Amino acid sequence: MILNTNAKNTWCIGCGNFAILNAIKAVINELVAEGLPVENIVLVSGIGCHAKIVDYIDVNSFYSLHGRVIPPATGIKIANPHLKVIGHSGDGDAYGEGIEHLIFAAKRNIDITVIVHNNRVYGLTTGQYTPTSPEGYKGRSTPYGTKEMPMNPLEIMLASGATFIGRGTSGAMESLKKIIKEAIAHKGFSIVDVLQTCVTYYNMYDYYDKRVYELKDHDPYNYDQAIGKIREWDYNKDAKIPIGVFYKRESPVFEESFKPSGAEGRDRSNGIKKILAESV
Amino acid sequence: MNEFSVLIGGKAGFGIDKASLIIASLLGQLGYRSYIYRDYPSLIRGGHTFSIIRASTEKVATYRDQIDALLALNQETVDLHKARLKGSGIIIYDSDSVNAGTVSGVKNAIGLPLTSIIKEEKAGEIMRNTCIIGAFAKSISIEWNTLDATFRKNFSKELDQNLKVARRAFDTSKEFTALKKLAKERLPLVTGNEAVALGLVRAGLKSYIAYPMTPSSPILHYLANLAEEFDLKVVHPESEISVIMMALGIVYCGHKVAVGTSGGGFCLMTEGLSFSGMAELPVVIVMGQRPGPSTGLPTYSCQTELQFVLSAGQGEFTRFVIAPGDAEEAYYASQLALQISWKYQIPSIVLTDKAMAEGTYSFDIGSCDEIKEEAAALWDGRPPYKRYSNTDSGVSPLAFPGKPGVVIKANSYEHDEAGISTEDPAVTVKMQDKRLRKEKYLAAELENYESVKVHGNKNSATALLCWGSNKGVCVEIANMLNLKVIQPVIMSPFPAGRFRKALEGVNKVIAVENNAMGQLTKVINTYGFNVNASILKYDGRDFSLEELEDRVRKVIG
C-alpha cells in the first residue's frame, strides 16, 4: 500500500520527520501484510511539525492538541481494544505540556505506542528550547542560554512503570523501523524516543553520527542493564548514545480491566426503574 | 400538618448526611415527599454540618428556614439553629454534650445521653446519629415497625447494632405530635446528581470520565457503582484535561460518553470543549456550579457559570446548554443533552448547581419525560467516505475506526471534508459555515421542546424569572402570591421566540438568581429583553422559602 494522501508535505528539506514517516509507513505495510486489518490502525498526533504526519498517511487518525496525544489515544484503546493505537508526539508535546499524561499512561500500562519526534527544539514556533535541550541552549526565548538541565525522559518512563522503552534516530532508518515495529507488537505501554534532527533550528546530524551506536548483547528484560544503558547518555553530557530497545516487561494492560458485564443491549429503562424501586 | 421540617446537625464526620437520608426515607414511608438541603464546610472532620429535611404532602424542591424538629448532636447545633424552631417545635439533643440550660425555653425538649447509650451498647460513636433518629421517630409517633423497615432498607452493615441503639432511644423518648400517614405511593429519594447519571444511562451512555470535584463527584461514584449493571466504562484519570481528551478519544470510536466537573475543572476542559466544536466530536459535560472565583466556596451553591459555559473555548462553534431545575428535569436534561450532542455532533453542557446536584428529592420517574432514542447519522457505506462532508444541515455522516474501507480523520486544525488540515481561505469559510449551520437546524428542532417553562398563574402580569435550582422555590412563592414564573431551561441556542411568548401579558419581570451580576438577565438583555427588578443572592446559600417570599413581597409592594 502506498498510504499517501493528497496533502502537500510542508516539512523542511532534510527534516528528520521524513525518516519517521517512512519508517512508520513501512511498519504499517508490514503489519498489514502480516494480517492486521488496516482499518484497525489509528494514529494520534499532537501539535507541531511532527503532528502533520497524520495528514500524510492514509489511515485513521486523530489530530489532537498540543500535549494531548496520550489521553485520546487512551480513550480510543479503552473504547475499542481491538485497535492498534500509535501516538506521534513532539518532545514539547510529550515531555513538556503533556508529561503528566505520559507518566500516567506508563503507570497504567495502557496498550498504546508513543513515538516521540524528539528534535530537542520547538520547530514550528521558531526555535525555542524544549525539555530535552541541553543546558546553555540558545534559542529565541533563551538568548543567553538555558539555565536548566534537560530531563532524561527514558529514565522518567522507567520510573513511571513503562513496560517498553526504546530509542531510535532519524539517521538510522533500518534500526528505527525495527524498534518501532517491536514497540507496536509489545502488549502494554511502549515508548520510542526518536532523536530526530531539525535541520533549520538545531542541526544535530553530525553530532549524533559520531556518538550513536546500536545496543548489542543487551538484555532488555534486565532492569539493571536497562537503567545503566538509559543513563549512559543523559541528553546533556558528551557521551556515546545507545539506540535500540532498552527495557521490556510483561504486565497486565489497563484496557482489559473493563470486562464486559453482559449487560450490553439490556433494557436500560427497566434497569433504572428497578434500581429506583429497590431504593424506596 | 401538610409539611414538616427537621434539622439535624453536628460536626462533619458525625454521619449527618446518612442520618438525613434515613429521616427523609422514614417520612417517605408515611407517604411524604421530601427535599433535603445539605450544608457542610470543606473539611473531613469538624466544622459545622447540617441538613434540613423538608417533607410535604406535595412535591417540594426547596427548604424552609423554620423547622418543626431540631436534632442536635452537639452544642453548636443548638446555638446556631434554636432560633429556627417553631413554638410547637421539638428539640432532641445529646444531653452528654449539650448544656440543658440552653434548651430550657423549648416546650418539647428531650435530652438523651447519646454518648452513654453508645458506650453501654458498645456501638461506634457514629451511631449517635441513628440513636437520635430513634428518639425522633417516637416524638412524632412513628411506629417502631416503620423505623425498623427504614433501617433495614438503609443499612447493609451493622444493621443490628444500629437497630439496638435506635430502639433504646425510641423507648426512652416521648410522643409530642403525630404525623398522619398519607395514602400516597412511596417515592425513591434521588439527588440531582443521581438523576443526571440515570438520565445519561437511559440515553445510552457507555462511558463516564471524571476527576473528583464538588459538587459533581457523586456522579462519578454513582456510575462507578452502576458500571457492571449497565456495562459502563468509568474512569477517573489524572486531570480534567485528560478527562475531556480521553472522552473525545472514546467518542471517536462511537461510544456515547459524558464527563462531569465544576467551574475550576471546566476551566481546564475548555481546550477540549473547543476541540469538540472543531472536530465535531459529541461530548456531554455536566457542569455543577459552586461559588468562585477560583476555589471560592467549594461545598456551597451559586449560579455563576452561565455566561462562562455559553462562551467557553476559543473560536466560534455550536453548543447545546441546558439548565434543569430539579431531579425530574435533570433526568430529562441529561438524556436530551446526550441525544442532541450525537444528533448534531456538538458538545453539550448540562448546567447544574450544588443545591440541585447534592440536594435530594423524592423522585417520580413516572412524571418525567423520556426521550425517544434516535439513531446517529451513520455513513451509508457508499464511498468515498468523508468525515466532514459538507451537507445541507452541516451534520456529516459518522463512521468509526475498525470499519473496513473507511479512513476516519478527526482533526483539531481547520480541515477539508476528508479531515486533512488546511489553511485555504475558501475551505476555511466553507467548513466554518458548515459547523455553524448546525445551530440553525438545532434551534428549529428545539421549537418542539419546552425550552422555556411557565409555572404559577400564567395570566399574572408579574413574573419571576429564574433558572436552575431556583425553580422550586420560585414556583412555591408564585403559587402563594399568585405570580407567574418564567424558567428558561435551554440556554443555548437561546430560545428567544419562546421566551418572548412566555413574556406575553407580563409587565413586570423580577429576576431571581444566585449570583451577584444577574447572569441570566445579561443573557436575555442580548436578545432585547429586560427585567424590572433583580433579587440576587450570592453568599453561597440558595434561597429559603421564607427569605425569597420576603424579598419578593418587598419588590412587588
Side-chain angles (χ1 to χ4, degrees):
Chain A
M1 285 194 287
I2 310 290
L3 295 176
N4 285 342
T5 66
N6 57 12
K8 186 172 172 264
N9 195 307
T10 57
W11 288 328
C12 305
I13 293 164
C15 174
N17 279 328
F18 286 105
I20 301 175
L21 174 65
N22 291 333
I24 190 73
K25 274 164 110 178
V27 169
I28 289 173
N29 266 313
E30 282 178 30
L31 292 171
V32 171
E34 289 163 16
L36 175 72
V38 69
E39 63 269 18
N40 283 1
I41 298 171
V42 182
L43 304 179
V44 183
S45 71
I47 295 293
C49 291
H50 86 272
K52 298 178 179 183
I53 196 165
V54 297
D55 277 339
Y56 306 149
I57 304 178
D58 193 29
V59 298
N60 296 321
S61 66
F62 190 102
Y63 200 142
S64 186
L65 305 175
H66 186 65
R68 317 294 173 220
V69 174
I70 308 283
T74 304
I76 291 164
K77 191 69 186 177
I78 288 171
N80 187 349
H82 300 300
L83 301 175
K84 276 274 178 222
V85 185
I86 304 159
H88 287 268
S89 186
D91 44 325
D93 255 355
Y95 308 142
E97 195 145 340
I99 184 110
E100 59 165 324
H101 309 307
L102 193 66
I103 289 170
F104 274 83
K107 173 182 181 285
R108 280 182 196 118
N109 199 31
I110 181 90
D111 181 19
I112 61 173
T113 298
V114 177
I115 299 167
V116 183
H117 300 219
N118 185 1
N119 55 17
R120 306 169 69 202
V121 68
Y122 285 119
L124 209 50
T125 55
T126 66
Q128 300 85 352
Y129 83 107
T130 81
T132 52
S133 303
E135 186 187 15
Y137 171 87
K138 288 183 182 169
R140 300 181 80 167
S141 62
T142 53
Y144 304 106
T146 64
K147 302 284 187 277
E148 335 174 359
M149 291 287 284
M151 61 171 73
N152 180 344
L154 299 188
E155 198 172 343
I156 293 171
M157 287 294 90
L158 190 67
S160 305
T163 56
F164 183 106
I165 299 169
R167 179 193 289 141
T169 76
S170 54
M173 253 297 270
E174 281 315 305
S175 154
L176 181 62
K177 267 197 301 198
K178 223 174 110 235
I179 299 165
I180 289 178
K181 194 171 175 199
E182 197 176 331
I184 294 172
H186 173 73
K187 191 167 181 186
F189 178 76
S190 53
I191 179 163
V192 182
D193 185 60
V194 185
L195 298 172
Q196 178 269 96
T197 293
C198 172
V199 287
T200 304
Y201 291 107
Y202 196 44
N203 195 333
M204 298 286 277
Y205 274 116
D206 282 349
Y207 184 90
Y208 291 148
D209 271 353
K210 286 187 192 121
R211 290 163 184 80
V212 163
Y213 76 97
E214 282 196 47
L215 284 172
K216 279 201 184 73
D217 303 323
H218 173 73
D219 176 11
Y221 290 96
N222 182 321
Y223 183 91
D224 291 334
Q225 272 190 34
I227 196 156
K229 284 294 168 191
I230 283 172
R231 285 178 175 167
E232 191 170 320
W233 178 62
D234 65 359
Y235 292 76
N236 199 54
K237 69 186 173 197
D238 198 14
K240 286 280 184 194
I241 304 172
I243 58 170
V245 177
F246 292 98
Y247 185 64
K248 252 178 135 166
R249 178 165 63 89
E250 315 300 328
S251 189
V253 294
F254 183 72
E255 66 274 18
E256 283 179 6
S257 58
F258 303 98
K259 296 266 183 254
S261 69
E264 172 93 43
R266 221 183 263 166
D267 180 346
R268 289 188 164 194
S269 190
N270 278 334
I272 290 165
K273 282 174 188 149
K274 203 175 117 227
I275 288 168
L276 292 173
E278 279 167 3
S279 72
V280 174
Chain B
M1 210 177 307
N2 287 329
E3 62 170 272
F4 195 85
S5 286
V6 189
L7 188 151
I8 179 163
K11 284 183 187 173
F14 278 10
I16 299 297
D17 210 25
K18 175 86 176 171
S20 58
L21 269 177
I22 294 173
I23 292 167
S25 173
L26 191 59
L27 297 169
Q29 296 285 323
L30 302 179
Y32 288 85
R33 274 65 179 124
S34 291
Y35 172 76
I36 306 176
Y37 166 84
R38 297 182 61 208
D39 192 305
Y40 64 103
S42 181
L43 43 71
I44 296 170
R45 299 210 180 276
H48 177 64
T49 177
F50 67 96
S51 289
I52 300 174
I53 305 102
R54 179 176 175 221
S56 170
T57 53
E58 303 303 325
K59 179 180 161 65
V60 279
T62 189
Y63 69 102
R64 271 187 191 278
D65 279 328
Q66 276 213 320
I67 53 172
D68 300 281
L70 176 59
L71 313 185
L73 288 165
N74 62 1
Q75 183 68 49
E76 199 177 22
T77 306
V78 174
D79 298 342
L80 286 169
H81 303 291
K82 201 177 89 175
R84 295 172 181 264
L85 208 56
K86 289 181 187 165
S88 58
I90 303 160
I91 186 164
I92 302 173
Y93 60 96
D94 179 7
S95 55
D96 289 330
S97 58
V98 171
N99 174 0
T102 58
V103 299
S104 60
V106 183
K107 198 172 67 186
N108 300 327
I110 184 155
L112 287 171
L114 297 182
T115 310
S116 315
I117 294 175
I118 295 300
K119 262 195 196 139
E120 285 161 31
E121 298 296 338
K122 297 189 174 59
E125 210 203 328
I126 186 106
M127 286 188 202
R128 293 195 308 140
N129 65 359
T130 48
C131 197
I132 208 166
I133 290 171
F136 166 66
K138 181 69 162 290
S139 76
I140 58 169
S141 310
I142 288 176
E143 289 168 12
W144 172 255
N145 286 349
T146 308
L147 187 60
D148 183 89
T150 307
F151 270 50
R152 284 177 197 283
K153 284 241 167 265
N154 284 281
F155 285 102
S156 49
K157 43 182 192 186
E158 296 186 308
L159 169 68
D160 292 342
Q161 191 78 304
N162 274 296
L163 279 171
K164 218 159 84 180
V165 297
R167 181 82 212 199
R168 271 200 60 177
F170 184 87
D171 288 343
T172 41
S173 187
K174 275 188 276 192
E175 292 184 12
F176 291 120
T177 184
L179 272 192
K180 65 171 187 272
K181 202 166 175 167
L182 308 175
K184 278 197 168 190
E185 182 203 2
R186 292 194 296 240
L187 294 177
L189 293 164
V190 166
T191 63
N193 275 329
E194 288 164 356
V196 165
L198 291 174
L200 291 170
V201 167
R202 175 68 184 83
L205 189 79
K206 285 190 117 175
S207 191
Y208 186 77
I209 321 285
Y211 187 82
M213 188 170 187
T214 306
S216 303
S217 320
I219 302 176
L220 172 64
H221 311 160
Y222 190 65
L223 288 174
N225 276 306
L226 291 181
E228 197 164 313
E229 180 76 24
F230 296 111
D231 216 357
L232 306 173
K233 292 176 176 178
V234 179
V235 190
H236 155 194
E238 60 273 22
S239 68
E240 283 93 348
I241 293 173
S242 189
V243 163
I244 189 151
M245 296 306 296
M246 208 177 268
L248 296 179
I250 289 171
V251 164
Y252 171 71
C253 292
H255 290 199
K256 288 183 175 167
V257 69
V259 305
T261 189
S262 185
F266 185 71
C267 287
L268 297 181
M269 289 185 184
T270 54
E271 62 168 23
L273 173 74
S274 175
F275 180 22
S276 156
M278 171 55 100
E280 306 185 46
L281 294 163
V283 63
V284 173
I285 302 172
V286 183
M287 225 317 276
Q289 297 168 99
R290 69 185 217 193
S294 195
T295 306
L297 304 176
T299 61
Y300 289 92
S301 198
C302 72
Q303 301 182 309
T304 54
E305 316 306 359
L306 177 59
Q307 289 184 302
F308 184 27
V309 302
L310 289 175
S311 60
Q314 73 270 38
E316 299 163 306
F317 56 94
T318 305
R319 72 189 79 197
F320 177 68
V321 179
I322 187 163
D326 56 26
E328 280 86 3
E329 284 183 8
Y331 178 65
Y332 179 71
S334 59
Q335 291 178 61
L336 189 61
L338 197 54
Q339 169 105 326
I340 296 282
S341 259
W342 276 83
K343 187 165 179 183
Y344 292 90
Q345 298 169 34
I346 55 170
S348 284
I349 294 161
V350 179
L351 192 56
T352 70
D353 49 50
K354 184 257 176 182
M356 197 204 85
E358 295 196 344
T360 304
Y361 302 79
S362 296
F363 180 64
D364 182 7
I365 196 170
S367 76
C368 294
D369 293 325
E370 282 202 349
I371 56 143
K372 221 175 110 240
E373 227 175 312
E374 290 179 44
L378 294 178
W379 177 53
D380 63 6
R382 272 182 301 183
Y385 175 72
K386 287 179 178 170
R387 170 63 191 97
Y388 298 110
S389 63
N390 188 22
T391 62
D392 289 344
S393 65
V395 176
S396 311
L398 285 168
F400 309 113
K403 193 173 177 65
V406 202
V407 171
I408 303 141
K409 288 191 169 300
N411 200 338
S412 70
Y413 251 82
E414 187 54 271
H415 44 261
D416 64 13
E417 290 181 80
I420 303 276
S421 309
T422 185
E423 291 176 353
D424 181 284
V427 179
T428 301
V429 171
K430 186 170 93 172
M431 298 308 281
Q432 180 63 352
D433 285 345
K434 163 194 145 52
R435 289 188 296 270
L436 291 181
R437 202 154 58 235
K438 295 193 255 187
E439 180 153 335
K440 194 179 86 184
Y441 287 87
L442 171 56
E445 175 175 349
L446 294 177
E447 284 298 315
N448 305 322
Y449 292 84
E450 210 184 350
S451 51
V452 179
K453 293 196 176 185
V454 176
H455 317 270
N457 177 358
K458 293 178 183 173
N459 299 317
S460 170
T462 303
L464 301 178
L465 171 67
C466 68
W467 60 287
S469 66
N470 278 339
K471 172 199 173 183
V473 67
C474 284
V475 171
E476 269 200 63
I477 301 291
N479 288 337
M480 200 188 301
L481 304 179
N482 202 26
L483 307 173
K484 184 175 188 171
V485 176
I486 300 174
Q487 178 210 1
V489 181
I490 292 170
M491 301 296 191
S492 174
F494 190 75
R498 277 188 169 258
F499 191 77
R500 180 174 294 111
K501 210 160 177 338
L503 280 176
E504 276 171 15
V506 174
N507 59 32
K508 185 167 191 175
V509 179
I510 305 163
V512 178
E513 301 194 54
N514 283 123
N515 54 51
M517 294 175 73
Q519 299 218 356
L520 176 60
T521 303
K522 289 211 163 99
V523 169
I524 65 161
N525 287 164
T526 63
Y527 295 91
F529 307 110
N530 291 302
V531 303
N532 304 92
S534 282
I535 297 175
L536 304 175
K537 180 170 179 172
Y538 44 90
D539 60 0
R541 281 71 177 168
D542 35 314
F543 291 101
S544 71
L545 198 62
E546 292 94 334
E547 180 185 5
L548 188 61
E549 182 193 345
D550 192 45
R551 293 184 65 177
V552 170
R553 280 188 191 280
K554 276 186 188 131
V555 172
I556 60 178

